[in-house]
Amino acid sequence: MSLLAVPNFSEGRDTSVIAAIRAALDADRGLLDRHSDPEHNRTVYTLAGEGRALEDRLAAGASVAIEQIDMRRQRCLHPCIGALDVCPLVWLDIGGREPARARARSVGERIGSLGVPVFLYGELASSEERQERAFFREGGLTELRRRMKAGELAPDMGPEIPHLSAGATLVTARPPLAAFNIELDTGDAVVAQRVAAALREAGGGPPGVRAIGLPLEGGRSQVSTNVHDPIAVPLRMIVARVTELAAEQGARPVEAEIVGLVPAAALQGFPQELPIRDFDPERHVIERRLSPTR
């Protein structure tokens, strides 16, 4: 059963580290995409593979990240707690759900054996409060270390405290989501934060939407989102809501960004007037990227 994996590494600037991780992931076999962002200081890979071979590649990438990424020196915009920060296994149809869940747990065990605590989130979480990544990231790695040392938070796999330099890793299994960013024509991050607060599900926005507001260089700010069900909530809905909320703050969207791949349905009706930076449907739409005729 073919699955996708979307490991997120906390390095988006050092090209030698990015290349080393890419080599460890065995990029010649099923690497679909790499997205590096120096401001977020993050690199997201999208891999396709089957069974133990995919698991081996993820474990190899984790090993390189542990060796070469030091979270004690990490400076970034994106919330994170580990060198390999997040490692989701992605199923493409309902028949892949259970294999993805089993493979995710196995990957978690292997990362834990490397000396990095692993927390299962999403539908693999052991309690409702552990479903959200924000539960583990709140306060950053320093606070996570305190909580674990105090016995307030135990990992699902691996050691009882964070790795000294590599931190901890979040693992899950899920269907495809859309990692979707919208840049506003203001450098005032407070505007983006207000928009994000009202956009996310917890603030009354569409179901399954997570959002944060971030400052950028060049007189812009960013509303960074994860849309957990981009078929039920296509990206045009996110654009429309951000446009409305930003207008209330005297701002407007000027550019969008998709990180990784998205299902075709996510893009239905997307407004042509909003450019998506470096977007190529042949490379970034799941169905096209995995077409056997390519």
Side-chain angles (χ1 to χ4, degrees), residues 112-150:
S113 73
L114 297 172
V116 174
V118 171
F119 298 98
L120 300 177
Y121 73 97
E123 65 174 62
L124 297 184
S126 58
S127 66
E128 184 176 353
E129 65 180 357
R130 294 168 72 108
Q131 291 181 3
E132 296 292 337
R133 287 161 294 180
F135 173 75
F136 304 102
R137 288 173 169 167
E138 186 175 2
L141 184 53
T142 299
E143 175 63 9
L144 178 67
R145 190 178 301 278
R146 185 204 65 78
R147 292 163 71 191
M148 294 182 73
K149 283 186 174 181

Side-chain angles (χ1 to χ4, degrees), residues 66-99:
I66 292 166
E67 294 173 0
Q68 299 200 25
I69 299 175
D70 190 340
M71 296 301 294
R72 293 169 294 185
R73 298 196 294 267
Q74 234 284 358
R75 299 294 182 269
C76 64
L77 290 178
H78 200 289
C80 60
I81 56 170
L84 171 51
D85 189 50
V86 184
C87 189
L89 277 290
V90 179
W91 72 83
L92 301 176
D93 56 57
I94 195 61
R97 181 180 182 182
E98 289 307 317

Side-chain angles (χ1 to χ4, degrees), residues 236-259:
R236 69 173 185 274
M237 293 177 60
I238 304 300
V239 173
R241 184 61 176 147
V242 168
T243 300
E244 177 184 354
L245 293 168
E248 295 172 1
Q249 305 290 322
R252 66 182 180 88
V254 290
E255 193 170 30
E257 180 181 44
I258 290 174
V259 179

Side-chain angles (χ1 to χ4, degrees), residues 261-285:
L261 280 64
V262 294
L267 294 166
Q268 289 185 357
F270 193 91
Q272 294 184 359
E273 64 270 17
L274 184 66
I276 306 175
R277 183 187 305 127
D278 299 327
F279 179 74
D280 179 353
E282 295 300 322
R283 293 178 51 233
H284 297 122
V285 172

Side-chain angles (χ1 to χ4, degrees), residues 8-287:
N8 291 222
F9 296 90
S10 295
E11 180 56 70
R13 300 168 185 158
D14 190 325
T15 56
S16 65
V17 174
I18 293 168
I21 294 171
R22 179 185 174 118
L25 293 172
D26 199 1
D28 291 335
R29 295 196 303 138
L31 178 64
L32 303 181
D33 188 67
R34 176 187 64 82
H35 183 280
S36 294
D37 188 316
E39 291 190 85
H40 284 227
N41 201 9
R42 196 172 186 85
T43 295
V44 179
Y45 293 92
T46 304
L47 315 174
E50 297 187 5
R52 182 60 181 258
L54 180 60
E55 182 182 322
D56 289 345
R57 293 161 66 197
L58 293 170
S63 181
V64 171
I66 292 166
E67 294 173 0
Q68 299 200 25
I69 299 175
D70 190 340
M71 296 301 294
R72 293 169 294 185
R73 298 196 294 267
Q74 234 284 358
R75 299 294 182 269
C76 64
L77 290 178
H78 200 289
C80 60
I81 56 170
L84 171 51
D85 189 50
V86 184
C87 189
L89 277 290
V90 179
W91 72 83
L92 301 176
D93 56 57
I94 195 61
R97 181 180 182 182
E98 289 307 317
R101 289 165 62 95
R103 193 61 58 188
R105 289 191 176 94
S106 182
V107 168
E109 293 284 1
R110 294 184 65 172
I111 295 171
S113 73
L114 297 172
V116 174
V118 171
F119 298 98
L120 300 177
Y121 73 97
E123 65 174 62
L124 297 184
S126 58
S127 66
E128 184 176 353
E129 65 180 357
R130 294 168 72 108
Q131 291 181 3
E132 296 292 337
R133 287 161 294 180
F135 173 75
F136 304 102
R137 288 173 169 167
E138 186 175 2
L141 184 53
T142 299
E143 175 63 9
L144 178 67
R145 190 178 301 278
R146 185 204 65 78
R147 292 163 71 191
M148 294 182 73
K149 283 186 174 181
E152 298 173 9
L153 184 60
D156 294 285
M157 295 102 167
E160 296 298 315
I161 59 172
H163 187 282
L164 182 62
S165 60
T169 297
L170 304 175
V171 173
T172 196
R174 60 166 174 78
L177 59 68
F180 180 59
N181 304 326
I182 297 179
E183 295 184 8
L184 305 179
D185 65 345
T186 174
D188 187 352
V190 173
V191 172
Q193 291 162 3
R194 288 172 178 165
V195 171
L199 175 66
R200 53 182 171 253
E201 180 180 8
V209 174
R210 309 293 185 263
I212 56 175
L214 301 169
L216 296 179
E217 296 180 352
R220 292 186 179 186
S221 57
Q222 183 185 85
V223 180
S224 178
T225 80
N226 277 342
V227 183
H228 284 197
D229 187 350
I231 297 174
V233 183
L235 299 184
R236 69 173 185 274
M237 293 177 60
I238 304 300
V239 173
R241 184 61 176 147
V242 168
T243 300
E244 177 184 354
L245 293 168
E248 295 172 1
Q249 305 290 322
R252 66 182 180 88
V254 290
E255 193 170 30
E257 180 181 44
I258 290 174
V259 179
L261 280 64
V262 294
L267 294 166
Q268 289 185 357
F270 193 91
Q272 294 184 359
E273 64 270 17
L274 184 66
I276 306 175
R277 183 187 305 127
D278 299 327
F279 179 74
D280 179 353
E282 295 300 322
R283 293 178 51 233
H284 297 122
V285 172
I286 291 174
E287 293 87 343

